[in-house]
Amino acid sequence: MNPAATEICDNIDNDCDGFTDEGVTLTFYADVDGDTYGNAAVTATGCYPALGFVLDNSDCNDANVAVHPDATESCNGIDDDCDGDVDA
């Protein structure tokens, strides 16, 4: 740690400017259903994800573990694969 150091995301004020991890934190997204895809509307920032948060924000239904971008579309009246099309 010194004034010439580069700030890195480690919860330490590496560059001695009085701020910790400024400009280097990541945004994490809530993953309530545990499918590894998060809800873009519910975020937290930090160096590491809190329990239940992930880096991916592409879940279109965070209340259903079977619905996510890598899911296979089924004829069931919902958009299983988050592509914006129902049963297509």
Side-chain angles (χ1 to χ4, degrees):
M1 295 184 307
N2 67 70
T6 300
E7 191 70 44
I8 61 174
C9 203
D10 60 359
N11 294 320
I12 296 172
D13 179 14
N14 304 101
D15 57 8
C16 302
D17 66 356
F19 300 98
T20 302
D21 299 332
E22 71 278 1
V24 295
T25 56
L26 300 170
T27 301
F28 298 97
Y29 305 90
D31 179 22
V32 174
D33 61 11
D35 62 4
T36 72
Y37 297 90
N39 178 346
V42 182
T43 65
T45 58
C47 294
Y48 311 102
L51 185 62
F53 282 76
V54 296
L55 280 170
D56 187 293
N57 69 349
S58 60
D59 202 338
C60 60
N61 181 343
D62 201 33
N64 185 338
V65 69
V67 175
H68 55 77
D70 284 335
T72 301
E73 188 67 44
S74 300
C75 188
N76 58 5
I78 62 174
D79 179 13
D80 301 286
D81 60 5
C82 299
D83 67 356
D85 294 322
V86 174
D87 298 338

